[in-house]
Amino acid sequence: TAEEKITPEPRLKKLEPILLPGEIVVNEVNFVRKCIATDTSQYDLWGKLVCTNFKISFITDDPMPLQKFQYRNLLLGEHDVALTCIEQIVTVNDTKRKQKVLGPNQKLKFNPTELIIYCKDFRIVRFRFDEAGPESAKKVCLAIAHYSQPADLQLLFAFEYVSKKYNNPAKKVNGLDPGGGGGGPQTPLFETYSDWDREIKRTGASEWRVCSVNEGYMISTCLPEYFVVPSSLADQDLKLYSHSFIGRRMPMWCWNHSNGSALVRMAHIKDSLQQRKIDQRISNAVTRSHPQRSDVYKSDLDKALPNIQEIQSAFLKLKQLCVNEPFEETEEKWLSLLDNSHWLEYVRLFLKHSAELVYMLDSKRVSVVLQEEEGRDLSCCVASLVQVMLDPFFRTMVGFQSLVQKEWVMAGYPFLDRCNHLKKSDKESPLFLLFLDCVWQLLEQYPSAFEFSEAYLTILYDSTRISLFGTFLFNSPHQRVKQSTEFAISKNIQLGDEKGLKFPSVWDWSLQHTARDRMLFHNPWYIGKNAPCVQNGAVKSFKRTKKNYSSTLRGLPPSLKNGIIGEQDFLPRRNSLILKLKPDFLLHHADNDNANGTEQYFREWFSKPPDLHGVLLPRLSGTQIKLWKLCYFRWVPEAQISSGGFITAFHKISLLADEVEALNRSLRRHHGVPPSLAELDQSRMYFRAAERNDSSASPEFLSSSFPFSPVGNLCRRSILGTPLSKFLSGAKIWLSTETLANED
């Protein structure tokens, strides 16, 4: 009898949620069934559904069917959904045939038998309450609706988490030093004067200076405290001119080319009487900062690119297609719906416009000023893309993180409104995702040029949906300081000299992932600037000549080699995820001289093998802009290729890269070269050759959704992937792009 009493204990313990500091359980219900597949209940899991002030958590003892999870998020379990990731909550009552979309503070007149949660990352999660107490089920649904749609910014979980950290200064919270929150020593946060000064020196922008005229946000609440301006503009002038700009967003320097041309962004001048005069003064100051005193090229992004409402509308159509459209539909219909969403067209437009500005900076050697009404949406995206194309530093992980920090977080991109953390909806727009998609297109076209992998980009996008990181929670640095100072006063937290609370930074990846899982971020194809090699016992850096890259152009149709579109590229081939191109493709919105110059520049660039550490230009023809399947299809089991897809190549290359690294290490040891710090980390690869007894067999659980596993997270028609009959009947849409490219 003593034995019998002891055995159930661990089971009960296991069904308790793992809580973060500041996280509390607000409601829970037992005997819940989580539905995995819609056409069968044989894979369903039994457990307890818990709602906290941070997430909804499903806790189960049942083993997962069929597929392993590849990586773990330390903040969220495999069945958890962060409250800020919830898009819509639908309750259903089978017997009364009723369903209701739940908003905050609403009443529910029936007892739900089913709860369906639509997530912002395209997941759909479904729970059944057949065996649960009807009242408990209703309460948990209402709690989820209430806590996932907070009325106020200070109700987001990050505030609770951080207040615990300040109130228990002796403890390390989740591995983070109290008040730490920084991005580690590596990623500059651009909150200080010195970070900006270092960036000026790194790019050789000698005629520019860091100005502190906005210290304490005295002039503009949507600019950072420190930013870079032409040396010839005095603080007094800046104060005077600031009133004429929308949101007082004065011109802000982004980056300098080695030839002296600069990239600058600014809001429109609202004072029409003063407009010409101020515009001229700013242009003159930018010109004076150029060694050749060359002209300034202005790009009005509001006229050149789709607006945030159009981007949101395209995204909703894309989401509808990935979430609701059954894959049994014919490929042509699916492709035309993808075409009608305009998502890929917008990705192409942003890449194309950025490439045209690269031509102005690199070939014409003129400074470029990006103008936009408020200067904090489209310009974040375009300024970042131009820098990724021009500066190989921003293609490394630390460089890319510093770019996001500089051009998005500190430049006042309104993450709170655009990510819709408070469910106010009319200002929502996925511009940051569009940017990551554009970067993914470049990574797909030039895999050896980027240090990070597509899994890194996807996980970074997911992190915008976790309400813990100060990085993506606010509309501006000023809002973070103001709101967190108010919160600190209300909770009696002593801030000392700190400007507002220190929230965890998303760049501290150890908060979310183990060291092993962080290796997923590394791209095994990446060729670093100076890869070391051993010659006669001495380590020499091996500078790659352009000849090494010539293979990248082999096998491409002639029309793509020079990047100019031939007639045959206007027509989409059957069985390929491409769009029809507009005939005015290259000449859109550019005057003829510039259009011809751009065309010539593109033609010359594509005629040579790419220098991976120089300028990178996107290939823009229809076949080259692809759908980012890992991000959009990862929860769709029908779309997964079991033991196949891109990941099989990733796996093999990782093993090879690891083997080469290990051989290099032993060669250096053999020649008596002491190991460097990087070497002490051993491998950077997720898949390692040395640790595997048999590197020939690929792991059973690999599928094209790697490292994400859709099984536990989505109820779709089937979890076994696309039935073979679909392939036999000609639905080749899920074949890998490599196969499609080889088809005639």
Side-chain angles (χ1 to χ4, degrees):
T1 55
E3 280 276 41
E4 280 167 24
K5 278 180 190 167
I6 291 163
T7 32
E9 266 298 281
R11 183 180 167 84
L12 287 172
K13 263 187 189 160
K14 200 174 175 190
L15 291 187
E16 290 309 311
I18 298 164
L19 301 176
L20 293 168
E23 188 178 3
I24 51 166
V25 172
V26 291
N27 220 298
E28 59 182 45
V29 54
N30 278 304
F31 309 113
V32 176
R33 194 152 56 87
K34 181 176 183 184
C35 306
I36 301 291
T38 51
D39 50 359
T40 172
S41 58
Q42 77 179 89
Y43 303 116
D44 289 358
L45 304 173
W46 286 92
K48 177 184 195 171
L49 182 62
V50 176
C51 173
T52 77
N53 57 344
F54 170 55
K55 62 178 184 258
I56 57 166
S57 197
F58 177 73
I59 311 149
T60 179
D61 257 357
D62 291 354
M64 280 298 297
L66 297 178
Q67 202 168 353
K68 278 188 192 175
F69 275 77
Q70 318 291 356
Y71 86 109
R72 229 160 47 86
N73 189 308
L74 301 174
L75 302 173
L76 295 161
E78 48 199 49
H79 300 289
D80 296 353
V81 178
L83 294 174
T84 28
C85 190
I86 294 175
E87 179 95 67
Q88 199 178 58
I89 299 151
V90 180
T91 47
V92 182
N93 182 295
D94 293 346
T95 46
K96 296 184 178 174
R97 295 197 170 172
K98 283 185 177 175
Q99 68 174 40
K100 181 180 172 81
V101 176
L102 275 189
N105 307 318
Q106 283 186 335
K107 289 190 167 63
L108 190 55
K109 289 180 180 164
F110 57 82
N111 288 326
T113 54
E114 187 172 8
L115 168 68
I116 306 167
I117 290 172
Y118 292 88
C119 305
K120 290 179 177 176
D121 60 6
F122 296 20
R123 271 181 295 173
I124 308 168
V125 191
R126 204 168 126 239
F127 300 102
R128 297 280 311 173
F129 301 121
D130 304 323
E131 310 290 324
E135 279 302 311
S136 310
K138 184 193 274 190
K139 279 181 185 159
V140 90
C141 291
L142 291 168
I144 292 168
H146 177 73
Y147 280 88
S148 66
Q149 301 173 66
D152 181 41
L153 174 57
Q154 291 179 27
L155 294 171
L156 289 172
F157 176 67
F159 285 87
E160 284 305 320
Y161 179 87
V162 173
S163 77
K164 268 284 181 291
K165 200 168 69 171
Y166 279 89
N167 287 324
N168 305 325
K171 286 185 190 167
K172 258 193 170 191
V173 176
N174 211 36
L176 197 71
D177 282 316
Q186 282 195 302
T187 303
L189 299 182
F190 290 95
E191 288 171 359
T192 60
Y193 184 98
S194 58
D195 280 351
W196 288 100
D197 197 45
R198 265 196 300 276
E199 186 64 4
I200 286 179
K201 291 188 172 75
R202 188 187 74 78
T203 57
S206 54
E207 297 298 315
W208 297 81
R209 68 181 181 89
V210 187
C211 85
S212 46
V213 65
N214 199 36
E215 249 177 2
Y217 305 100
M218 296 301 281
I219 288 183
S220 172
T221 54
C222 56
L223 279 176
E225 285 193 286
Y226 306 101
F227 55 96
V228 176
V229 296
S231 299
S232 59
L233 278 182
D235 283 3
Q236 219 37 52
D237 297 335
L238 291 169
K239 284 177 188 167
L240 193 65
Y241 300 151
S242 68
H243 301 277
S244 306
F245 289 94
I246 292 175
R248 295 192 171 186
R249 285 182 67 90
M250 294 170 276
M252 237 180 107
W253 172 90
C254 304
W255 183 81
N256 240 64
H257 194 293
S258 54
N259 65 26
S261 53
L263 180 65
V264 181
R265 51 193 283 195
M266 69 183 204
H268 283 315
I269 299 163
K270 58 183 176 187
D271 183 346
S272 53
L273 295 170
Q274 295 281 314
Q275 187 172 9
R276 204 141 173 211
K277 184 178 111 185
I278 292 170
D279 210 26
Q280 198 51 54
R281 293 221 170 144
I282 298 299
S283 295
N284 288 344
V286 174
T287 296
R288 276 207 290 277
S289 296
H290 194 294
Q292 273 80 48
R293 303 286 187 267
S294 69
D295 285 344
V296 172
Y297 177 80
K298 292 201 178 78
S299 171
D300 187 338
L301 301 181
D302 294 321
K303 289 180 182 156
L305 293 165
N307 61 36
I308 59 167
Q309 289 80 18
E310 289 168 326
I311 293 166
Q312 171 68 356
S313 159
F315 177 66
L316 292 176
K317 287 176 187 163
L318 174 72
K319 181 183 255 184
Q320 181 78 2
L321 193 55
C322 294
V323 171
N324 293 335
E325 278 303 317
F327 285 88
E328 278 69 32
E329 296 297 339
T330 62
E331 182 208 357
E332 280 81 1
K333 182 181 174 189
W334 202 92
L335 282 172
S336 61
L337 288 168
L338 176 63
D339 190 1
N340 293 339
S341 76
H342 298 304
W343 181 259
L344 292 185
E345 188 186 328
Y346 291 167
V347 167
R348 178 186 289 109
L349 280 175
F350 272 84
L351 283 167
K352 175 174 173 290
H353 190 71
S354 304
E356 285 166 0
L357 298 178
V358 165
Y359 158 71
M360 299 308 294
L361 287 155
D362 185 55
S363 177
K364 299 277 274 193
R365 300 177 170 227
V366 296
S367 290
V368 169
V369 175
L370 304 176
Q371 285 184 302
E372 182 190 7
E373 188 172 5
E374 286 187 30
R376 51 194 299 206
D377 275 297
L378 306 177
S379 60
C380 295
C381 189
V382 173
S384 304
L385 286 174
V386 168
Q387 289 171 74
V388 168
M389 289 177 198
L390 279 167
D391 190 337
F393 172 64
F394 295 125
R395 307 197 279 264
T396 66
M397 207 173 313
V398 172
F400 186 73
Q401 293 181 170
S402 74
L403 180 71
V404 172
Q405 190 69 30
K406 170 169 75 95
E407 297 300 341
W408 296 79
V409 182
M410 295 314 288
Y413 175 71
F415 278 106
L416 181 70
D417 292 344
R418 300 293 177 259
C419 296
N420 202 9
H421 294 313
L422 301 181
K423 306 285 188 293
K424 301 233 163 105
S425 88
D426 57 330
K427 292 177 180 173
E428 187 171 353
S429 188
L431 200 65
F432 187 62
L433 172 64
L434 185 89
F435 162 64
L436 296 178
D437 196 326
C438 290
V439 172
W440 177 81
Q441 303 289 340
L442 289 165
L443 169 64
E444 178 75 3
Q445 292 177 17
Y446 305 101
S448 305
F450 291 83
E451 189 187 10
F452 46 85
S453 64
E454 67 168 327
Y456 166 81
L457 291 173
T458 312
I459 290 165
L460 177 57
Y461 167 58
D462 288 347
S463 303
T464 62
R465 308 280 179 216
I466 298 175
S467 56
L468 182 65
F469 308 110
T471 318
F472 300 131
L473 280 193
F474 302 98
N475 284 335
S476 64
H478 168 260
Q479 188 185 43
R480 176 181 64 79
V481 171
K482 182 173 179 284
Q483 291 277 345
S484 66
T485 306
E486 284 172 14
F487 181 82
I489 292 165
S490 71
K491 297 279 182 188
N492 292 325
I493 296 171
Q494 301 300 313
L495 284 174
D497 296 337
E498 281 180 27
K499 293 175 184 171
L501 298 168
K502 279 272 180 237
F503 291 91
S505 163
V506 75
W507 314 126
D508 185 358
W509 289 109
S510 62
L511 273 173
Q512 288 193 73
H513 305 290
T514 62
R516 164 98 171 112
D517 282 347
R518 292 200 296 279
M519 286 174 187
L520 284 168
F521 294 174
H522 290 283
N523 171 14
W525 276 270
Y526 179 59
I527 298 172
K529 182 75 177 165
N530 296 326
C533 71
V534 178
Q535 277 179 3
N536 305 328
V539 177
K540 294 189 176 171
S541 69
F542 168 44
K543 286 203 165 69
R544 287 167 165 75
T545 61
K546 290 189 175 183
K547 280 179 195 162
N548 291 69
Y549 304 126
S550 58
S551 60
T552 50
L553 288 173
R554 278 187 211 132
L556 280 178
S559 59
L560 297 182
K561 281 187 186 169
N562 55 24
I564 305 305
I565 298 103
E567 187 55 41
Q568 73 277 22
D569 293 319
F570 286 119
L571 305 168
R573 275 197 336 273
R574 186 180 146 70
N575 297 337
S576 60
L577 287 169
I578 59 172
L579 295 172
K580 268 188 188 165
L581 286 174
K582 303 275 187 303
D584 60 351
F585 173 66
L586 267 169
L587 307 172
H588 179 61
H589 84 255
D591 58 64
N592 267 346
D593 280 357
N594 263 346
N596 293 336
T598 315
E599 196 172 323
Q600 184 63 30
Y601 176 68
F602 268 56
R603 200 186 289 278
E604 279 175 19
W605 191 89
F606 280 106
S607 69
K608 298 181 198 125
D611 171 10
L612 299 184
H613 303 293
V615 177
L616 276 194
L617 292 178
R619 295 195 177 97
L620 295 164
S621 73
T623 46
Q624 297 289 340
I625 301 293
K626 299 176 184 174
L627 191 68
W628 184 9
K629 292 182 195 169
L630 183 74
C631 189
Y632 307 132
F633 284 172
R634 59 194 151 141
W635 315 120
V636 184
E638 305 97 299
Q640 304 313 332
I641 306 165
S642 187
S643 310
F646 182 75
I647 181 54
T648 48
F650 180 92
H651 170 242
K652 290 279 183 275
I653 295 283
S654 295
L655 295 179
L656 274 172
D658 189 56
E659 217 170 303
V660 169
E661 239 172 89
L663 286 168
N664 261 329
R665 274 199 301 275
S666 54
L667 263 176
R668 284 197 285 277
R669 270 200 302 273
H670 177 70
H671 290 291
V673 180
S676 67
L677 275 174
E679 280 186 64
L680 295 173
D681 285 351
Q682 298 297 305
S683 174
R684 295 178 307 112
M685 296 301 131
Y686 185 78
F687 296 111
R688 298 180 191 177
E691 290 178 16
R692 302 183 58 81
N693 299 330
D694 175 21
S695 60
S696 59
S698 126
E700 285 168 48
F701 51 86
L702 278 187
S703 92
S704 55
S705 67
F706 178 91
F708 308 95
S709 180
V711 169
N713 275 324
L714 191 73
C715 55
R716 300 288 297 211
R717 192 161 285 97
S718 148
I719 56 169
L720 292 163
T722 313
L724 189 63
S725 59
K726 288 281 173 286
F727 285 113
L728 297 177
S729 64
K732 296 175 185 168
I733 191 167
W734 305 124
L735 287 176
S736 70
T737 45
E738 289 80 8
T739 320
L740 289 175
N742 296 332
E743 282 187 3
D744 213 43

